[in-house]
Amino acid sequence: MDIIFYHPTFDTTYWLNELSKQIPGANVRAWKRGDNQPADYALVWHPPVEMLQGRELKAVFALGAGVDSILSQLNAHPEMLPMTTPLFRLEDTGMGLQMQEYAVSQVLHWFRRFDDYQLQKQAACWEPLADYHREDFTIGMLGAGVLGSKVAESLQAWGFPVRCWSRSRKSWPGVESFAGHEELGAFLRGTRVLINLLPNTAETVGIINKKLLEQLQTGGYVLNLARGVHLIEDDLLAALDSGKLKGAMLDVFSREPLPAESPLWKHPRVAMTPHIAAVTRPAEAIDYIARTIAQLEAGINPGGQVDRELGY
């Protein structure tokens, strides 16, 4: 079995060594330009077209939860990978726990009004504020995939009402489910905190816009953990300035790194992190890849395969 690996920033030596340990007998090599030797599997992140083009691969693994980067390449270069070649994403591999930590910490930050107290501190103002109540603090999950289910579960443990919206209806215990565009408005009108975990597809680009934000509860919050292209940043700023929204926490942006001239940097109601909400944990990712390859070799259909027509 031959496996080729390419990632522009990962520690290649570590990955090659650990993959060789986890998949005995496999010949694992770092792909370099000009390498057209046979391969059975490819592990990639932002791969050059020539790495995959013309190969008869059993499967390709995207080294992250999102696959939009490779799908955008396939749209421009459909010859890069036949539709019959399975494409897998890292379904969790430690990202679920990281997303839970991030979402719970931020929701509690808003719920306990720490954002307001921080503004009071800057104004040298000492004034206890009225408590919020959990029953009035409904969390709406925009996107209901593997990571969304993990985040919803963690927020339920804190007693918050949780709802989700996705393409198809979910049956998560204790979570109110909305599906399709015809139910998006009802989902939004009952939501106080909107958490975005949508996949990046043609249908979801720009979905968090003025029209959507106007339907949220007044004084609501937006937490974007998915992709920057989902959010119209100017519409978010306008909603914050008008008082429609009370706060936003952003981990992803339409341009990364965020340009120094962006007004998001200076807005008092916007908090930010540099796309770190959930990163690939090598040991867990390698374990998942090794297990999935073993299943494929045994003729078993594993989870995590991407529907290239849907984009996730």
Side-chain angles (χ1 to χ4, degrees):
M1 181 193 305
D2 292 289
I3 301 173
I4 50 177
F5 174 92
Y6 176 85
H7 195 293
T9 61
F10 279 1
D11 182 343
T12 299
T13 300
Y14 171 85
W15 277 77
L16 297 185
N17 290 339
E18 292 302 312
L19 284 164
S20 297
K21 293 177 186 177
Q22 290 267 11
I23 311 174
N27 174 33
V28 188
R29 69 182 188 271
W31 180 86
K32 298 179 180 179
R33 293 193 181 277
D35 179 354
N36 58 5
Q37 296 302 305
D40 299 294
Y41 297 96
L43 282 52
V44 301
W45 190 250
H46 294 289
V49 173
E50 65 179 284
M51 178 183 180
L52 303 179
Q53 187 174 352
R55 294 187 182 276
E56 295 182 4
L57 296 163
K58 295 180 180 180
V60 173
F61 290 83
L63 297 174
V67 293
D68 41 302
S69 64
I70 189 170
L71 291 179
S72 63
Q73 285 180 288
L74 286 171
N75 287 334
H77 303 279
E79 74 282 359
M80 185 170 79
L81 193 68
M83 286 294 293
T84 53
T85 302
L87 174 63
F88 290 87
R89 67 182 186 277
L90 302 183
E91 278 199 309
D92 188 339
T93 62
M95 296 182 195
L97 178 58
Q98 294 174 73
M99 284 293 190
Q100 288 178 325
E101 294 166 347
Y102 196 114
V104 168
S105 65
Q106 186 58 40
V107 169
L108 291 176
H109 182 86
W110 285 324
F111 180 68
R112 290 299 307 271
R113 306 195 65 170
F114 293 152
D115 54 334
D116 292 321
Y117 285 121
Q118 179 63 19
L119 291 175
Q120 287 189 178
K121 182 250 184 185
Q122 294 170 1
C125 174
W126 180 287
E127 181 184 355
L129 300 172
D131 291 341
Y132 288 146
H133 302 286
R134 279 177 171 76
E135 59 269 24
D136 302 323
F137 220 76
T138 298
I139 315 298
M141 307 293 308
L142 198 59
V146 173
L147 296 179
S149 68
K150 296 284 189 182
V151 171
E153 179 184 349
S154 65
L155 289 165
Q156 281 182 290
W158 284 91
F160 293 106
V162 179
R163 52 176 50 193
C164 69
W165 179 86
S166 55
R167 178 190 293 269
S168 57
R169 199 173 307 283
K170 305 301 179 184
S171 56
W172 298 347
V175 177
E176 189 178 9
S177 177
F178 297 79
H181 290 287
E182 63 279 2
E183 295 185 6
L184 180 58
F187 163 80
L188 294 168
R189 284 190 294 274
T191 293
R192 180 74 173 273
V193 178
L194 183 70
I195 300 179
N196 179 38
L197 282 167
L198 285 168
N200 181 12
T201 69
E203 293 181 351
T204 63
V205 170
I207 190 172
I208 306 177
N209 52 32
K210 178 181 179 181
K211 180 180 178 181
L212 181 145
L213 295 172
E214 287 176 343
Q215 297 177 74
L216 291 172
Q217 289 186 16
T218 297
Y221 305 85
V222 170
L223 174 56
N224 191 10
L225 300 176
R227 287 291 184 268
V229 295
H230 290 140
L231 173 67
I232 304 300
E233 293 169 358
D234 286 345
D235 289 356
L236 173 72
L237 290 168
L240 289 166
D241 290 339
S242 71
K244 176 62 182 179
L245 292 181
K246 194 173 179 194
M249 181 74 184
L250 309 178
D251 183 58
V252 289
F253 305 88
S254 57
R255 290 177 60 193
E256 295 182 2
L258 185 66
E261 64 271 18
S262 171
L264 292 170
W265 286 109
K266 296 182 179 180
H267 200 287
R269 288 289 182 176
V270 176
M272 302 185 301
T273 49
H275 204 147
I276 51 79
V279 298
T280 301
R281 301 296 194 202
E284 293 170 88
I286 290 167
D287 180 69
Y288 164 77
I289 292 167
R291 185 171 62 253
T292 303
I293 287 177
Q295 291 174 322
L296 290 169
E297 291 291 305
I300 300 170
N301 291 324
Q305 184 170 346
V306 175
D307 185 325
R308 287 166 59 179
E309 293 291 341
L310 294 178
Y312 57 89

